């Protein structure tokens, strides 16, 4: 498989810290692992038994220790967490993963005496959203309550929307008809961060013992007008704005889609993506300030660069 491009340079640490990484076989987890290694950290990657994905093999080749462990076994997880300075979760799933499996991982980290835990949040700031507005973010909120009650230092990385989705799953920049689709206002600030930048920042945070409870980042804060300008610039063809209606209409569409195709066992059914867009377009304007400058070696990828890959 083509390995992801790292955005940092190797920076040896005086005393290499051991980071336990759960979800290392996934795209984001794999990138976090590579970034940790590039920064001089030691990585113990936790994967489910029998996982033979190329991403796991690459981490092993780069120097990570790969440990096969069942996430239903707190004893085995505790042994796997021994000696770590931080546990980073990049697990993906529904309640059985985000709440249940992560809780067992948290219990193991506490039992092993690990001082810090980074949960699998990597999203918009769900602390400012009403409960019930987004199923997947509600699960992260539920786990966050357990995390806040545990005797361990916690840090969540909140990166807005993955900018990579703008050229794929997120129906906002419509290249075929040269439109930028939106609901509500044209001046709503939207936060976008690439998966690569999120991985680099998370790795830096994992090796930083002074992180606060929440860290907010964005490769770019852009309005739909900014998206239109970026798409027009990289394609050389004029894009127009396409207002589908107010947020209330999108909310109605979500209810209809969820009733017609509930897909309760899918992590990202169509209505879930619609919920995320609704959250983006209705996020309160007084969002927390960005922490991009915390690790100055990271070069933040702009929306224009992401769209250029599609043009």
């Amino acid at each position: 498989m083509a390995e992801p491009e790292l955005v940092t340079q190797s920076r040896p640490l005086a005393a290499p810290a051991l980071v336990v990484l759960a979800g290392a076989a996934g795209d984001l987890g794999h990138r976090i692992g590579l970034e940790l290694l590039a920064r001089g950290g030691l990585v113990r990657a936790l994967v489910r038994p029998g996982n033979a994905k190329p991403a796991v093999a690459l981490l092993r080749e780069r120097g990570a220790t790969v440990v096969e462990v069942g996430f239903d076994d707190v004893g085995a997880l505790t042994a796997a967490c021994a000696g770590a300075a931080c546990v980073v979760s990049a697990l993906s799933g529904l309640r059985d993963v985000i709440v249940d499996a992560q809780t067992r991982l948290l219990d193991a980290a506490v039992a092993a005496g690990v001082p810090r835990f980074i949960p699998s949040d990597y999203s918009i700031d769900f602390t400012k959203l009403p409960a019930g507005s987004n199923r997947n973010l509600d699960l992260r909120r539920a786990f966050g309550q357990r995390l806040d009650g545990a005797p361990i230092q916690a840090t969540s990385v909140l990166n807005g929307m993955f900018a990579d989705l703008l050229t794929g799953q997120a129906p906002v920049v419509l290249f075929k008809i040269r439109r930028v689709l939106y609901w509500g206002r044209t001046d709503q600030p939207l936060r976008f961060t690439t998966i690569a930048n999120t991985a680099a920042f998370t790795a830096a945070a994992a090796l930083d013992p002074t992180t606060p409870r929440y860290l907010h980042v964005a490769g770019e804060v852009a309005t739909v007008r900014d998206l239109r300008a970026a798409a027009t610039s990289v394609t050389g063809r004029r894009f127009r704005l396409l207002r589908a209606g107010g947020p209330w209409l999108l909310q109605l569409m979500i209810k209809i889609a969820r009733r017609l195709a509930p897909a309760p066992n899918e992590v990202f059914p169509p209505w879930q993506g619609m919920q995320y867009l609704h959250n983006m377009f209705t996020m309160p304007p007084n969002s927390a300030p960005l922490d991009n400058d915390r690790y100055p070696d990271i070069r933040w990828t702009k929306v224009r660069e992401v769209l250029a890959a599609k043009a």
Side-chain angles (χ1 to χ4, degrees):
M1 60 179 288
E3 62 184 75
E5 180 181 354
L6 299 181
V7 298
T8 60
Q9 298 295 321
S10 178
R11 191 172 57 186
L13 304 176
L18 171 62
V19 176
V20 168
L21 175 62
D27 186 19
L28 176 60
H30 176 225
R31 292 171 184 262
I32 292 172
L34 292 177
E35 288 286 354
L36 284 166
L37 293 168
R39 288 177 175 271
L42 304 177
V43 177
R44 185 181 295 156
L46 307 186
V47 300
R48 299 183 188 279
N51 193 313
K53 290 185 176 180
V56 176
L58 180 57
L59 282 173
R60 183 183 287 111
E61 291 173 6
R62 290 292 180 88
T65 300
V66 176
V67 177
E68 295 189 0
V69 62
F71 282 81
D72 57 348
D73 187 340
V74 176
L77 287 171
T78 300
C81 290
C86 182
V87 168
V88 177
S89 174
L91 296 172
S92 177
L94 298 178
R95 177 169 291 275
D96 63 319
V97 176
I98 297 302
V99 179
D100 299 339
Q102 277 202 126
T103 295
R104 290 189 289 272
L105 181 62
L106 171 62
D107 291 343
V110 171
V114 180
R116 302 176 57 242
F117 192 103
I118 296 179
S120 186
D121 289 341
Y122 316 114
S123 63
I124 55 178
D125 189 354
F126 54 82
T127 67
K128 293 183 171 60
L129 297 173
S133 68
N134 188 303
R135 179 198 61 179
N136 288 5
L137 298 185
D138 283 344
L139 296 177
R140 283 156 174 77
R141 182 185 289 110
F143 176 71
Q145 292 171 351
R146 299 188 182 187
L147 182 56
D148 287 338
I152 195 170
Q153 181 183 341
T155 295
S156 291
V157 176
L158 302 176
N159 57 276
M161 175 185 281
F162 285 128
D164 315 68
L165 300 180
L166 286 172
T167 59
Q169 292 175 269
V172 177
V173 181
L174 309 177
F175 285 90
K176 289 186 178 180
I177 62 173
R178 300 199 298 279
R179 297 290 187 274
V180 175
L181 181 67
Y182 74 102
W183 288 263
R185 310 189 335 257
T186 59
D187 60 349
Q188 171 73 8
L190 310 170
R191 295 186 173 188
F192 299 98
T193 312
T194 63
I195 298 172
N197 278 167
T198 302
F201 190 88
T202 301
L207 296 171
D208 175 5
T210 67
T211 52
R213 178 64 182 88
Y214 293 100
L215 288 169
H216 301 80
V217 296
E220 184 172 354
V221 180
T223 66
V224 293
R225 292 184 181 278
D226 296 328
L227 296 180
R228 179 185 63 179
T232 297
S233 174
V234 300
T235 63
R237 307 183 73 180
R238 185 182 180 187
F239 275 64
R240 298 178 183 273
L241 297 180
L242 176 58
R243 188 177 190 273
W248 66 269
L249 178 57
L250 180 56
Q251 187 66 53
L252 177 61
M253 294 170 61
I254 292 169
K255 291 180 179 179
I256 294 173
R258 194 166 186 176
R259 175 164 299 198
L260 294 178
N265 297 322
E266 292 185 20
V267 180
F268 299 110
W271 56 263
Q272 171 62 42
M274 295 164 71
Q275 282 189 336
Y276 208 93
L277 286 177
H278 185 273
N279 295 149
M280 293 276 287
F281 283 108
T282 58
M283 178 66 70
N286 57 339
S287 295
L290 296 177
D291 297 294
N292 286 34
D293 294 337
R294 188 177 182 92
Y295 310 114
D297 61 311
I298 297 176
R299 189 189 74 80
W300 297 94
T301 303
K302 303 300 183 184
V303 165
R304 186 184 186 282
E305 297 173 71
V306 175
L307 298 182
K310 178 73 173 182

